[in-house]
Amino acid sequence: YQGWVTDQLAGRNPLLVAPDNETAAELSARARADLVRAGLVEEDGVPLRTGSLYGVETKVGRGDVIQMRRNDRKIMGESGQFATNRLTATVTGISDHGSLMVRLEDGSRMQLPADYVQTHVELAYASTVHGAQGRTVGP
């Protein structure tokens, strides 16, 4: 974990792999807290129901990296990409109603409705081995 934090704070794109979803949720919450303390992520945000599935109370704010956990072809980004399971994005804005504006890895934007956020979004700082397949990491 400490290696992940060091690389993250150095601006790299590290991958934090956990053995199961519960551990991934715990590590993601810990990572978020460290990034908030470092001033890289907004402390306030939208509470996520998905974390409570694993006994971790968490929220998402500007600067957080999230992953979508359900395909939804009605939620389209600027580039034509739709919300897909394990698609990662960075939160750039939050509405008063709890919807999120996010920036996808290709730089395009997408708006996630509040009901989708509550049920199908989780922090993406840590992932299981299966969830990490296909993720791009590097310097």
Side-chain angles (χ1 to χ4, degrees):
Y1 175 81
Q2 196 55 48
W4 179 90
V5 170
T6 300
D7 284 349
Q8 185 74 23
L9 294 177
R12 295 185 183 96
N13 185 20
L15 185 61
L16 185 57
V17 180
D20 55 52
N21 287 323
E22 183 176 357
T23 305
E26 291 169 2
L27 287 170
S28 285
R30 181 178 172 191
R32 182 182 196 283
D34 285 340
L35 294 173
V36 166
R37 278 192 289 280
L40 299 173
V41 171
E42 183 178 67
E43 183 172 6
D44 291 330
V46 177
L48 297 177
R49 227 182 297 163
T50 52
S52 63
L53 296 173
Y54 306 109
V56 178
E57 294 302 320
T58 190
K59 56 186 159 184
V60 61
R62 278 184 207 39
D64 272 317
V65 177
I66 55 107
Q67 65 180 332
M68 298 161 220
R69 297 292 287 141
R70 184 173 189 191
N71 295 345
D72 190 328
R73 290 185 177 273
K74 293 180 218 146
I75 303 173
M76 296 288 281
E78 293 173 331
S79 65
Q81 169 73 54
F82 64 91
T84 58
N85 189 31
R86 301 282 186 196
L87 180 63
T88 59
T90 302
V91 177
T92 59
I94 302 171
S95 78
D96 291 340
H97 307 307
S99 66
L100 299 179
M101 180 59 75
V102 299
R103 185 182 66 252
L104 303 176
E105 289 179 356
D106 68 3
S108 65
R109 293 178 298 180
M110 177 184 286
Q111 184 162 353
L112 302 175
D115 59 338
Y116 183 89
V117 170
Q118 284 299 303
T119 7
H120 305 298
V121 167
E122 58 188 39
L123 292 171
Y125 297 115
S127 184
T128 63
V129 172
H130 299 296
Q133 290 178 338
R135 289 274 306 266
T136 302
V137 297

